[in-house]
Amino acid sequence: MTPNESDRSLIEAMRRYFAVKADVNELKARLETARREAGADIETFYNPRNNPNHAIDILRSHVLKKEMVSLMSQAEAWAKGGDAAQEFGQNFDSIQDVDIVGAD
């Protein structure tokens, strides 16, 4: 069975989803370690305005989580017969434009 363009787009979206999920988990572990070491409560620590030392990582985790939601929405659209190829290109480009804290 040869995958069509829509199938390839779904595969790429899911690869990206799991890569982003790994990044989120790594950020989460790093932030939680820092929070515990600082002895800070969750609400204070995860507010980027109150925590400038970790603000970039906190904001980055929000951007990555939004990307995960978008990628999963694309997979759901594909499962319902939508055009994942078209949606992937549109959604991925808009997420990249929003990713202001992702420059490494």
Side-chain angles (χ1 to χ4, degrees):
M1 182 167 102
T2 305
N4 61 30
E5 184 63 30
S6 180
D7 294 344
R8 284 189 293 274
S9 294
L10 172 67
I11 292 166
E12 181 59 33
M14 294 313 298
R15 283 183 181 149
R16 178 70 185 152
Y17 174 87
F18 288 110
V20 170
K21 184 176 180 179
D23 289 346
V24 167
N25 288 336
E26 186 271 328
L27 269 173
K28 183 178 173 181
R30 191 168 65 220
L31 287 168
E32 269 303 294
T33 298
R35 183 186 71 79
R36 287 186 192 117
E37 287 174 357
D41 65 282
I42 292 171
E43 185 176 342
T44 302
F45 184 86
Y46 284 102
N47 183 337
R49 291 184 180 132
N50 294 338
N51 189 351
N53 294 334
H54 297 283
I56 295 214
D57 283 343
I58 293 166
L59 294 173
R60 175 102 175 114
S61 70
H62 290 294
V63 169
L64 291 172
K65 288 176 184 177
K66 286 181 182 180
E67 184 175 355
M68 287 176 63
V69 168
S70 176
L71 290 165
M72 192 53 67
S73 293
Q74 293 167 35
E76 289 172 357
W78 179 90
K80 294 176 182 176
D83 187 357
Q86 182 179 6
E87 290 181 32
F88 179 76
Q90 292 171 351
N91 291 339
F92 187 74
D93 290 344
S94 66
I95 290 168
Q96 295 303 310
D97 292 343
V98 171
D99 191 2
I100 58 171
V101 296
D104 291 322

